[in-house]
């Protein structure tokens, strides 16, 4: 094991991500035989096959996955070392890979801009995805920090709340319930809902809200792939939606959507900044966390009023 090199580990990572040696070679700027040699040397060193060779491409074995995990951990430690050296030098620089759930894309760019204005030498990269994508990126160490409304339970995480996250039910302005007051849970449950995919934060909260109504979860509503699609569908009169208030501020202000006055709404959740608890916190990560704790809530979109007058 002591003979393993960084070049070999990079080769294994490239083969894993690209699926084929020829594609990995292009990414690495090497010839396919050179990548093959790196792979063979590493397999000889661990005395196990790291990939199953199939017609579809290279598939990791259990040993291969262990090597890839180790390669990712080493890569992260080297990035942390770089940040620590910069901190020792007094350089407020480094890099940060920020992952956000799709609902957070409505405020993440403004938050990033403010942070980068204060720390211009920090290089930031933003990855936007649904809840499942963001959790997967945390698991695979593709992101350093993530912003989400409900921290994952199957990943070792540190989580800190930095702002309120109200969830509301919206409808088009001409909806029959648009001017109604104190709408009961039973009455709103009769409506046709437009919902996100299973596992999304808003869907989980809606399932909890309707859980005490027999049979309501059997047909929760029509699934749509994004908040933007849901908003457009609601404005078109295709149904109503349970959605983050941070995603509909401009539509409510413009009068294209109304927030229904449902008993028990809004449901108040929180936004969390999360990092993996099984990895060290770099100076850049600590700086970003401190910025969120002090200023994060300022950049959350405001809804002028949660209910119609």
């Amino acid at each position: 094991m002591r003979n393993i090199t960084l070049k070999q580990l990079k080769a294994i990572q490239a083969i894993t991500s690209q699926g084929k040696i020829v594609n990995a070679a292009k990414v690495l700027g090497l010839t396919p035989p050179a990548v093959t040699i790196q792979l063979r040397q590493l397999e000889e060193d661990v005395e196990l096959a790291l990939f199953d060779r199939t017609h579809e491409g290279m598939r990791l074995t259990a040993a291969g996955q262990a090597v890839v995990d180790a390669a990712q951990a080493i890569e992260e430690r080297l990035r942390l070392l770089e940040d620590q050296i910069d901190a020792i030098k007094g350089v407020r620089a480094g890099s940060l890979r920020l992952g956000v759930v799709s609902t957070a894309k409505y405020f993440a760019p403004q938050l990033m801009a403010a942070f980068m204005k204060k720390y211009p030498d920090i290089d930031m990269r933003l990855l936007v995805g649904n809840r499942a994508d963001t959790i997967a990126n945390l698991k695979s160490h593709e992101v350093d920090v993530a912003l989400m409304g409900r921290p994952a339970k199957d990943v070792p995480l540190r989580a800190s709340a930095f702002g309120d996250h109200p969830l509301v039910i919206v409808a088009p302005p001409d909806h029959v319930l648009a001017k109604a007051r104190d709408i009961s849970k039973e009455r709103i449950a009769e409506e046709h809902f437009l919902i996100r995919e299973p596992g999304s934060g808003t869907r989980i909260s809606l399932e909890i809200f309707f859980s005490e109504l027999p049979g309501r979860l059997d047909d929760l509503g029509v699934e749509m792939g994004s908040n933007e699609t849901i908003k457009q569908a609601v404005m078109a009169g295709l149904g109503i939606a349970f959605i983050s208030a941070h995603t509909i501020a401009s539509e409510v202000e413009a009068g294209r959507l109304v927030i229904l006055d449902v008993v028990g709404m809004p449901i108040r959740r929180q936004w969390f900044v999360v990092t993996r608890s099984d990895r060290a916190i770099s100076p850049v990560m600590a700086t970003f966390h401190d910025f969120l704790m002090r200023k994060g809530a300022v950049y959350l979109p405001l809804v002028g009023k949660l209910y119609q007058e």
Side-chain angles (χ1 to χ4, degrees), residues 288-309:
F288 184 67
H289 182 276
D290 180 64
F291 174 81
L292 280 178
M293 293 301 101
R294 291 184 293 106
K295 299 287 188 179
V298 174
Y299 298 97
L300 298 176
L302 295 176
V303 179
K305 50 190 176 182
L306 288 178
Y307 300 123
Q308 291 295 102
E309 295 178 354

Side-chain angles (χ1 to χ4, degrees), residues 128-147:
V128 179
N130 60 27
R131 176 179 164 82
D133 293 334
T134 303
I135 292 173
N137 286 335
L138 281 167
K139 287 182 177 179
S140 63
H141 301 273
E142 290 296 318
V143 298
D144 303 309
V145 179
L147 306 183

Side-chain angles (χ1 to χ4, degrees), residues 117-132:
K117 183 177 181 179
K118 187 173 179 64
Y119 304 99
D121 293 324
I122 292 179
D123 177 36
M124 290 191 72
R125 183 162 65 96
L126 178 65
L127 282 79
V128 179
N130 60 27
R131 176 179 164 82

Side-chain angles (χ1 to χ4, degrees), residues 12 16 43 46 48-51 59-71:
I12 296 303
T16 302
E43 288 183 323
V46 301
L48 288 170
L50 302 182
F51 291 93
R59 294 182 180 176
L60 281 172
T61 62
Q65 184 62 62
V67 171
V68 168
D69 290 343

Side-chain angles (χ1 to χ4, degrees), residues 61-181:
T61 62
Q65 184 62 62
V67 171
V68 168
D69 290 343
Q72 290 175 334
I74 292 170
E75 191 173 69
E76 287 174 13
R77 190 63 187 85
L78 290 175
R79 289 184 67 247
L80 176 58
L81 174 61
E82 183 178 4
D83 286 346
Q84 289 173 326
I85 294 299
D86 285 339
I88 292 170
K89 291 177 180 178
V91 179
R92 305 187 81 175
S95 63
L96 186 72
R97 299 168 298 175
L98 176 63
V100 304
V101 295
S102 54
T103 301
K105 71 182 181 182
Y106 294 90
F107 63 84
Q110 291 82 0
L111 191 154
M112 283 180 61
F115 180 73
M116 294 171 72
K117 183 177 181 179
K118 187 173 179 64
Y119 304 99
D121 293 324
I122 292 179
D123 177 36
M124 290 191 72
R125 183 162 65 96
L126 178 65
L127 282 79
V128 179
N130 60 27
R131 176 179 164 82
D133 293 334
T134 303
I135 292 173
N137 286 335
L138 281 167
K139 287 182 177 179
S140 63
H141 301 273
E142 290 296 318
V143 298
D144 303 309
V145 179
L147 306 183
M148 58 176 53
R150 188 185 293 269
K153 295 182 179 180
D154 57 345
V155 186
L157 297 177
R158 308 178 188 93
S160 302
F162 67 89
D164 288 334
H165 184 196
L167 303 172
V168 297
I169 294 179
V170 295
D174 59 352
H175 192 276
V176 65
L177 297 176
K179 297 186 182 300
R181 293 294 171 265

Side-chain angles (χ1 to χ4, degrees), residues 234-255:
V234 172
M235 289 187 284
L238 297 181
I240 66 175
F242 178 69
I243 198 167
S244 166
H246 293 318
T247 69
I248 46 88
S250 61
E251 288 81 6
V252 171
E253 183 178 353

Side-chain angles (χ1 to χ4, degrees), residues 193-243:
F193 275 79
L194 308 174
I195 60 176
R196 290 292 302 273
E197 70 281 354
S200 74
T202 50
R203 178 158 174 168
I204 291 171
S205 293
L206 183 61
E207 289 171 346
I208 293 172
F209 183 70
F210 281 146
S211 61
E212 64 186 44
L213 300 181
R216 185 61 183 86
L217 299 184
D218 295 339
D219 183 18
L220 195 58
V222 175
E223 290 183 19
M224 295 191 171
S226 71
N227 290 318
E228 286 301 315
T229 302
I230 287 176
K231 288 192 296 183
Q232 292 298 323
V234 172
M235 289 187 284
L238 297 181
I240 66 175
F242 178 69
I243 198 167

